Amino acid sequence: MNPLDKPWAQLALALLTVLILPLFLKSGILATEILIFAMVVAACNLLLGYTGLLSFGQGIFFGIGTYAAGICLTRWSVPVPLVLAGAAVLGAATATLVGWLSIRRQGVYFVMLTLAFSQLFYFIAYTFSGLTGGDNGLLGVPRPSIGGTALDAPWSYYTYVAVCFVAVFALLVMVTQSTFGRTLLAIRENEGRAAAIGFPTRLFKIEAFAISGAVTAFGGALHAMLIGVAPLSNIEYHTSELILIMTIIGGSSSLFGSVLGAGFYLLLADALSTVWPRWLLLLGLVLVTVALFLQRGLWGLVERGYDLAFRRERAPETPAEEH
Amino acid sequence: MIYLFQVLNGIGLGMLYFLLAVGLSVIFGLLQFVNFAHGAFYLLGAYLTYDLTTRGFGFWAAMPLATLIVAGIAALIEALLLHRIYKLPHTFHILVTVGLALVVQELIIIAWGPLGGSVPAPEGLQGVVILGDFIYPQYRLFTIGFTAVLAGLLWWLLEGTRLGAIVRGGSESPANMALLGYNTLRINTAVFGFGAGLAGLAGALAAPIRGVEPFMGIEALSVAFVVVVIGGMGSYTGALVAGLLVGVVQSVMTTLWPEGARLMIYVGMALVIALMPRGLLGRA
């Protein structure tokens, strides 16, 4: 195993990211967005990399969190910590339902079901516009405040999100290192065998979904407070696609790969979208390239770089993981 | 009377969904490959029809031309790119075809703008049919008849001909087909082009009904997924039954609850999966 894959190294890299982003980025909003998506993408990776479930429905939970924050903060001014906790619980509940239904089918059917569910929730949000604001979304979502001062400056909200990010990332590392996480890996490797040993594999998958949904909704709530709006686009198919793309580009074999994936995508989007509105064309080509030449994603690149720099004997190439 | 009208609409819509789902199914059956670019081929078929008709081609020339161009482009993509990734895990099939769909969508916005447009009903079918006090657009009636004939042809092609046997043989065991002397690489290319061509044709037929806009592809893709999940992948009858069901539910709901019509497709799917996890026809 590459030393960088060890849990402490992963956590150290996450901390390093939090400290480094303010040095390199001018925009506190962009830096905050990277951290929010980093945790959301890591939650997607818990399903893809650690359980072998390719979920095209992560936007559902992100959108649920966004609306939870939007509704609670604009209508009732519920305290922010309570909103975040509520968003996580709601996300977990939704994910349990979606997971329970989706894992009734396996392989490609599972993927197709998660995509169809993302459409289902999009149309719910679109149809019940009295609650969600429909196309306009919910405007005027306030930032949290600490000790009476609102965190309106981008970098002070960054600090708030950074604390959340480190806590969530540590939690996810702990989950993957636990017996529960090991069992998920066993299910990914060979579900039949895991079931034969006596693990209730369906229950484990649903639990993985619940954790992933909780974290994703938590991130969605933070995102609504960042941009001050709870937009319909957060629950769209496009958001699900985005989260999945970041996960695969980052590499699904390590949680920190997800941070890289989120950072890579958002920095690329920031650099290109102002220059060329049709930059998604390039993104499409990047995806094809990753599938052909970089199957372990950016994290695979990091591992290879580490091996070249610090190890005389190169570790044998690990083949791309089967899902 | 309004229900008869909506049921007819639903059958027309459902037949287009059927075409989409069969294309997806045929590709998956032979290549074990989920084509997330399927909606993009539908989108391309619609836009090519739009473009050709604005250039002065009649619809009757534009529809088959658009279908053939989509099939040709898809076959080219298969031969150049996709056959390299069949052996990779599903994740990468999805990644590549999602990437392709993005490329197609963005190219379409570059070529024709983000706003979309409308395609007039073809000459000779612009009027309505009047039966007593029942009035129905001729073009919609034509799509029902035309797709029904196509469905019959497809059934014959897949179940009754040597070509269909080759395709089914290839999906059972590509190695055996190669041993029998068939060029499986060429068959794969042809079948991918054929399946994508069906999506393109569905797009071409849909264009005069719903117009064109750059984001119609993803809607088509997810509806095709719903049809395939309910009806079973690789099942001709399943695609037909589920396609019609989804189309009719959507249309009838347009009368009962207009804002929620499309929502009901997915609610229906969730109900089917909750009650019958294996889909309507019970195939794996």
Side-chain angles (χ1 to χ4, degrees):
Chain A
M1 186 167 131
N2 195 306
L4 289 178
D5 285 317
K6 295 217 164 86
W8 286 111
Q10 296 271 307
L11 206 55
L13 284 170
L15 267 173
L16 202 64
T17 310
V18 165
L19 298 175
I20 275 183
L21 279 178
L23 302 178
F24 285 91
L25 290 177
K26 282 202 191 89
S27 158
I29 301 215
L30 179 61
T32 313
E33 199 173 19
I34 290 177
L35 289 190
I36 292 174
F37 272 96
M39 62 180 116
V40 167
V41 172
C44 180
N45 200 357
L46 181 72
L47 292 178
L48 178 64
Y50 291 83
T51 324
L53 293 170
L54 194 153
S55 161
F56 232 108
Q58 298 300 101
I60 301 170
F61 319 131
F62 194 72
I64 296 262
T66 300
Y67 282 125
I71 293 167
C72 292
L73 292 172
T74 57
R75 298 202 182 164
W76 305 310
S77 26
V78 180
V80 171
L82 215 60
V83 170
L84 288 173
V89 170
L90 206 59
T94 317
T96 304
L97 182 68
V98 170
W100 174 70
L101 284 170
S102 303
I103 62 166
R104 298 179 141 229
R105 304 293 291 272
Q106 295 187 330
V108 290
Y109 286 103
F110 167 83
V111 183
M112 293 193 278
L113 270 172
T114 55
L115 188 140
F117 278 117
S118 86
Q119 288 288 91
L120 170 70
F121 280 88
Y122 165 75
F123 280 117
I124 290 179
Y126 182 80
T127 306
F128 296 98
S129 52
L131 194 64
T132 62
D135 259 335
N136 300 324
L138 299 166
L139 306 176
V141 182
R143 293 255 174 91
S145 50
I146 284 180
T149 36
L151 303 175
D152 284 334
W155 286 110
S156 47
Y157 186 56
Y158 174 84
T159 317
Y160 188 90
V161 171
V163 172
C164 296
F165 165 73
V166 172
V168 165
F169 193 84
L171 188 92
L172 285 173
V173 169
M174 268 160 61
V175 167
T176 56
Q177 295 303 314
S178 65
T179 317
F180 172 73
R182 300 290 167 174
T183 316
L184 292 183
L185 279 178
I187 293 174
R188 186 198 72 188
E189 291 301 321
N190 190 334
E191 186 173 352
R193 193 182 292 162
I197 297 170
F199 287 114
T201 54
R202 285 187 53 179
L203 189 67
F204 273 79
K205 284 182 181 177
I206 293 174
E207 283 169 1
F209 248 104
I211 296 172
S212 181
V215 171
T216 311
F218 183 84
L222 287 175
H223 191 253
M225 290 188 265
L226 171 69
I227 59 176
V229 194
L232 185 63
S233 63
N234 272 14
I235 203 164
E236 252 175 14
Y237 157 83
H238 185 65
T239 303
S240 297
E241 184 183 60
L242 209 68
I243 295 172
L244 191 63
I245 285 174
M246 291 180 191
T247 313
I248 303 178
I249 289 184
S252 61
S253 66
S254 113
L255 283 178
F256 189 74
S258 302
V259 180
L260 291 180
F264 174 81
Y265 177 92
L266 291 169
L267 291 175
L268 192 74
D270 182 64
L272 291 178
S273 59
T274 46
V275 187
W276 191 38
R278 303 268 66 85
W279 73 281
L280 284 176
L281 180 66
L282 283 184
L283 178 69
L285 298 176
V286 167
L287 298 188
V288 175
T289 316
V290 167
L292 287 178
F293 305 111
L294 198 64
Q295 288 157 17
R296 289 175 61 80
L298 295 171
W299 183 250
L301 218 57
V302 171
E303 283 180 331
R304 223 180 298 167
Y306 181 90
D307 283 346
L308 279 178
F310 298 109
R311 289 178 163 182
R312 295 258 168 80
E313 293 171 57
R314 286 195 55 194
E317 282 289 315
T318 337
E321 270 132 39
E322 295 284 334
H323 292 301
Chain B
M1 200 53 91
I2 182 81
Y3 289 106
L4 178 63
F5 184 84
Q6 291 296 11
V7 167
L8 271 182
N9 272 352
I11 292 174
L13 202 59
M15 289 306 281
L16 295 182
Y17 293 163
F18 159 74
L19 283 184
L20 275 167
V22 163
L24 198 67
S25 238
V26 165
I27 292 172
F28 180 78
L30 184 67
L31 308 170
Q32 294 297 304
F33 182 87
V34 211
N35 180 20
F36 273 66
H38 207 62
F41 292 129
Y42 168 87
L43 174 68
L44 192 59
Y47 262 94
L48 286 171
T49 309
Y50 166 70
D51 186 64
L52 290 168
T53 49
T54 52
R55 280 173 204 274
F57 283 85
F59 179 80
W60 304 115
M63 175 185 62
L65 261 177
T67 308
L68 285 177
I69 296 174
V70 170
I73 291 176
L76 201 66
I77 293 175
E78 200 282 339
L80 292 177
L81 172 67
L82 296 182
H83 78 93
R84 289 168 211 276
I85 61 164
Y86 290 149
K87 57 183 188 302
L88 297 177
H90 280 311
T91 317
F92 296 105
H93 299 173
I94 293 170
L95 194 65
V96 166
T97 48
V98 163
L100 281 176
L102 275 179
V103 170
V104 170
Q105 180 184 306
E106 294 304 306
L107 284 176
I108 279 174
I109 296 177
I110 290 172
W112 291 290
L115 291 180
S118 60
V119 177
E123 53 275 31
L125 290 178
Q126 282 162 346
V128 290
V129 180
I130 304 174
L131 275 176
D133 53 356
F134 182 70
I135 300 170
Y136 201 72
Q138 284 176 349
Y139 178 72
R140 282 182 181 252
L141 215 53
F142 156 78
T143 52
I144 295 176
F146 182 70
T147 46
V149 172
L150 266 179
L153 266 175
L154 274 173
W155 187 81
W156 172 73
L157 198 68
L158 293 173
E159 305 286 333
T161 64
R162 194 174 168 76
L163 183 73
I166 293 172
V167 170
R168 278 178 289 128
S171 67
E172 289 289 322
S173 164
N176 274 347
M177 295 306 286
L179 283 174
L180 286 170
Y182 289 102
N183 184 339
T184 44
L185 281 181
R186 204 167 296 163
I187 295 172
N188 287 352
T189 308
V191 166
F192 190 81
F194 177 73
L198 285 178
L201 178 61
L205 287 170
I209 297 177
R210 65 173 323 285
V212 295
E213 41 97 10
F215 304 104
M216 65 196 278
I218 171 60
E219 178 63 28
L221 181 71
S222 61
V223 171
F225 282 178
V226 169
V227 171
V228 161
V229 165
I230 298 178
M233 195 93 103
S235 158
Y236 175 94
T237 334
L240 187 62
V241 172
L244 288 175
L245 198 68
V246 170
V248 171
V249 165
Q250 185 183 344
S251 277
V252 171
M253 286 309 295
T254 312
T255 310
L256 296 175
W257 186 28
E259 312 86 57
R262 286 190 292 178
L263 172 61
M264 289 317 289
I265 299 178
Y266 301 99
V267 172
M269 180 204 69
L271 280 178
V272 169
I273 291 301
L275 300 173
M276 290 177 280
R278 306 213 139 265
L280 283 179
L281 301 183
R283 286 179 48 152

